[in-house]
């Protein structure tokens, strides 16, 4: 792109995002960065045309160096005086070697930092920025932080890939979709690649439905993604792969200031909140921004907030400017708006809502249950309960009307009376169930939704688990749901939905002990939920967090 057009575009984008005006022009040069094994990784160096650069940024990812990453993580910062190195990781977009997702990022990141410190334009310190896989590469670098690293901005970036894939005990099929996308993203026919992405949710659902799953997934992937079968094999002590992509040690070693950006409907929201709590507990200078976004919406609906918070963080920790955010934490309370608070989560009390006969939720436990039959539903793996919104990598995630879900006969539904005042929930709801199944191979999906005055139901928080087989299967189930900051409005109702699958987000339980990749036989399960001890626990806090911090008008719409 000619420099004059690039300059006009940068100014237009700055106005759109309500950012301070660009301060400098810049040039873009292609560079090659040597790795210790002789492989060279390709990068674009954005060099600001100023004698007083603001600092240096390193961005490493597998998705190429063109739009949108060239704009979001390079041009916006180069136009404000930062040297930016935007690098394609091993095996992608011209970089040498073969892509083995996550496996080489710690070593390659360290080698890139070593190269960076030798460049004549290097400013002496650098920061890392990026989201998703571009966040994972930062955690990989932080396992052994280089001395020149001064700050990090990690958005929706996991540090624990094993947990992302297998934390529920069931395989997260989002990563089949991701493998398909990455293995075809460099298709020379760009239109064909675009159509493939538009069809991704349908293609993923069809592949996940095929049996055996391994063969069906491989038909989708073709010759691409040779790593997939390893990912789809449950972690075990004799499987060294998962240890090779584990970056949990970074949480204990990082010392530099870290800004974390997440979304309540992001697949990695739990890890973002875990990262914040762990770093905060260690006394690390850490801040948190949580918006009402899915994983991909951080680059669309959340882009203004992401960029403004990033520029503020970098200016303070690379340039010595004053940090503008008034508090450590900025959260969007869905149904209310943005709030700025000193820490997360705030102090809460537990509100109990019991499952009662007649599909009710009530503050008082049911009594005289001798003649009351328990609630039951039948899960059929041939017709699994369909995924409806929620935290997904695909474009069909997020907040959705789930009224049709509540009408299915394989879903239990319990709804409270109409709320007479707002109920504000901050943290992780928990559902405790006196549960059993006539098939020891069973899963549970639980959702909390809000039903508005018109009867429209919308998801708020989800939880999923593959239940243990054996003696533990007879114990009550306690299921922690996704973390939230949400106001249930007066006039609405709180709803709990319970099902035996959530497909295709999670690979369905076939009802047998056959392995995921090769299983063919399907056996249904009848689930039983008994009243008395079955309940929803909500961490309830003040109706307005402004008393603990303040309203925050600077965020994107809630």
């Amino acid at each position: 792109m000619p420099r004059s057009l690039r300059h006009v575009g940068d100014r237009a984008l700055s106005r759109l995002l309500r950012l301070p005006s660009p301060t400098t022009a810049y040039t873009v040069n292609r560079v090659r960065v040597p790795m210790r094994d002789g492989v060279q990784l390709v990068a674009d160096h954005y060099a600001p045309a100023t004698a007083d650069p603001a600092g240096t940024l390193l961005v490493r990812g597998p998705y190429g160096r063109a739009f949108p990453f060239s704009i979001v993580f390079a041009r916006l910062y180069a136009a404000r005086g930062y040297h930016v190195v935007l690098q394609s990781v091993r095996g992608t977009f011209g970089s040498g070697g073969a892509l083995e997702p996550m496996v080489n990022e710690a070593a390659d990141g360290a080698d890139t930092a070593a190269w960076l410190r030798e460049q004549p334009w290097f400013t002496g310190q650098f920061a890392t920025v990026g989201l998703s896989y571009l966040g994972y590469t930062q955690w990989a670098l932080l396992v052994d932080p280089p001395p020149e690293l001064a700050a990090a901005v990690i958005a929706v970036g996991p540090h624990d890939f094993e947990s992302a894939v297998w934390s529920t005990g069931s395989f997260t099929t989002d990563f089949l979709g991701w493998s398909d996308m990455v293995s075809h993203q460099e298709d020379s026919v760009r239109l064909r690649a675009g159509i493939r992405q538009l069809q991704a949710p349908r293609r993923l659902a069809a592949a996940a439905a095929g049996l055996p799953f391994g063969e069906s997934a491989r038909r989708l992937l073709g010759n691409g993604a040779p790593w997939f079968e390893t990912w789809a094999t449950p972690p075990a002590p004799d499987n060294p792969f998962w240890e090779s992509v584990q970056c949990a040690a970074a949480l204990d070693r990082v010392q530099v200031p870290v800004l974390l950006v997440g979304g309540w409907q992001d697949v990695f929201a739990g890890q973002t909140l875990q990262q914040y709590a762990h770093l905060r507990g260690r006394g690390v200078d850490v801040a948190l921004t949580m918006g009402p976004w899915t994983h991909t919406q951080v680059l669309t609906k959340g882009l203004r907030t992401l960029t403004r918070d990033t520029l503020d963080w970098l200016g303070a920790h690379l340039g010595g400017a004053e940090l503008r955010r008034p508090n450590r934490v900025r959260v969007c309370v869905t149904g209310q708006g943005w709030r700025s608070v000193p820490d997360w989560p705030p102090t809460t009390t537990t509100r109990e809502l019991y499952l009662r006969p007649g599909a009710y939720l009530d503050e008082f436990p049911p009594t005289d249950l001798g003649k009351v039959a328990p609630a039951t539903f039948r899960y059929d793996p041939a017709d699994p309960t369909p995924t409806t919104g929620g935290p997904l990598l695909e474009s069909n995630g997020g907040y959705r009307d789930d009224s049709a879900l509540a009408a299915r006969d394989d879903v239990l539904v319990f709804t409270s009376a109409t709320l007479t005042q707002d109920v504000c929930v901050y943290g992780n709801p928990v559902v405790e169930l006196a549960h059993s199944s006539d098939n020891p191979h069973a899963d549970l999906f639980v959702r909390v939704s809000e039903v508005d005055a018109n009867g429209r139901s919308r998801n708020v928080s989800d939880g999923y688990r593959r239940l243990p087989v054996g003696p533990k299967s007879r114990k009550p189930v306690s299921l922690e749901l996704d973390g939230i900051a949400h106001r249930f409005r007066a006039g609405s109702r709180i709803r709990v939905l319970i099902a035996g699958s959530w497909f295709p987000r999670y690979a369905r339980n076939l009802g047998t002990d056959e392995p995921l990749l090769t299983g063919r036989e399907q056996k249904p399960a009848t689930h039983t939920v008994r009243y008395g001890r079955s309940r929803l626990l909500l961490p309830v806090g003040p109706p307005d967090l402004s008393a603990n911090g303040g309203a925050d008008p600077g965020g994107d719409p809630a």
Side-chain angles (χ1 to χ4, degrees), residues 98-101 179 183 218 221-231:
L99 174 63
E100 297 178 79
S179 296
S183 60
R218 184 45 61 189
L221 298 171
N223 295 324
W227 57 81
F228 177 74
E229 283 75 11
T230 299
W231 289 10

Side-chain angles (χ1 to χ4, degrees), residues 177-533:
W178 185 88
S179 296
D180 179 48
M181 182 272 292
V182 169
S183 60
H184 293 93
Q185 65 179 340
E186 296 187 56
D187 193 323
S188 58
V189 181
R190 300 190 66 179
L191 178 60
R192 185 166 56 202
I195 293 173
R196 191 178 187 92
Q197 276 304 101
L198 291 174
Q199 296 174 340
R202 178 182 59 80
R203 290 166 53 84
L204 174 60
L211 292 178
F213 174 65
E215 293 181 8
S216 182
R218 184 45 61 189
R219 283 194 296 271
L220 173 69
L221 298 171
N223 295 324
W227 57 81
F228 177 74
E229 283 75 11
T230 299
W231 289 10
T233 301
D238 60 350
N239 184 353
F241 168 76
W242 297 105
E243 183 64 28
S244 72
V245 297
Q246 174 64 261
C247 295
L251 299 183
D252 291 320
R253 296 174 183 171
V254 59
Q255 299 291 343
V256 301
V258 179
L259 169 62
L260 299 168
V261 181
W264 295 122
Q265 290 291 300
D266 173 41
V267 291
F268 303 125
Q271 292 204 38
T272 298
L273 295 170
Q274 177 191 355
Q275 292 156 9
Y276 173 79
H278 193 102
L279 297 185
R280 184 81 170 105
R282 288 184 52 229
V284 174
D285 184 2
V286 60
L288 173 69
T289 297
M290 288 293 291
W293 315 303
T294 66
H295 192 74
T296 56
Q297 285 172 348
V298 175
L299 274 186
T300 55
K301 294 180 179 181
L303 181 57
R304 185 179 71 178
T305 295
L306 171 65
T307 306
R308 293 174 68 177
D309 283 11
T310 301
L311 285 169
D312 183 31
W313 195 255
L314 296 176
H317 297 294
L318 280 184
E322 182 178 354
L323 190 65
R324 293 194 300 270
R325 64 189 297 145
N327 282 291
R328 187 178 298 276
V329 176
R330 299 179 65 211
V331 297
C332 180
V333 181
T334 48
Q336 186 176 70
W338 285 87
R339 295 294 182 265
S340 174
V341 293
D343 206 354
W344 193 261
T347 301
T348 59
T349 58
T350 299
R351 179 166 179 173
E352 302 172 333
L353 292 173
Y354 288 86
L355 280 58
R356 294 182 64 105
Y360 297 116
L361 277 180
D362 193 83
E363 293 184 358
F364 302 100
T367 57
D368 192 22
L369 295 175
K371 297 182 179 180
V372 176
T376 64
F377 68 93
R378 184 177 185 271
Y379 159 68
D380 184 356
D383 182 24
T385 312
T387 301
T388 307
L392 304 173
L393 285 178
E394 303 293 342
S395 59
N396 54 349
Y399 298 109
R400 292 287 189 271
D401 184 341
D402 60 12
S403 303
L405 178 68
R408 286 180 59 98
D409 59 11
D410 60 352
V411 178
L412 294 181
V413 180
F414 299 89
T415 309
S416 74
T418 301
L419 300 175
T420 58
Q421 59 186 8
D422 291 351
V423 175
C424 293
V425 180
Y426 312 114
N428 297 85
V430 174
V431 172
E432 296 178 348
L433 297 176
H435 169 273
S436 62
S437 169
D438 66 354
N439 184 335
H441 303 283
D443 293 3
L444 270 178
F445 168 75
V446 177
R447 163 171 285 182
V448 172
S449 293
E450 180 175 16
V451 184
D452 65 21
N454 297 319
R456 177 177 177 267
S457 178
R458 194 174 85 146
N459 57 298
V460 175
S461 180
D462 297 342
Y464 196 92
R465 182 184 300 172
R466 177 148 295 182
L467 301 179
V469 177
K472 291 184 179 180
S473 66
R474 294 188 290 272
K475 294 183 178 180
V477 176
S478 179
L479 195 60
E480 183 177 85
L481 278 59
D482 298 327
I484 58 173
H486 181 76
R487 177 181 68 167
F488 291 92
R489 296 174 181 268
S492 70
R493 292 174 290 161
I494 299 172
R495 171 171 285 175
V496 170
L497 302 98
I498 304 170
S501 69
W502 195 233
F503 179 83
R505 184 187 177 188
Y506 297 108
R508 57 185 164 167
N509 194 324
L510 297 181
T512 73
D513 59 0
E514 291 183 287
L516 169 66
L517 290 171
T518 58
R520 295 177 181 269
E521 185 182 6
Q522 302 180 69
K523 292 183 179 180
T526 297
H527 293 250
T528 299
V529 176
R530 294 175 296 281
Y531 301 109
R533 291 185 297 172

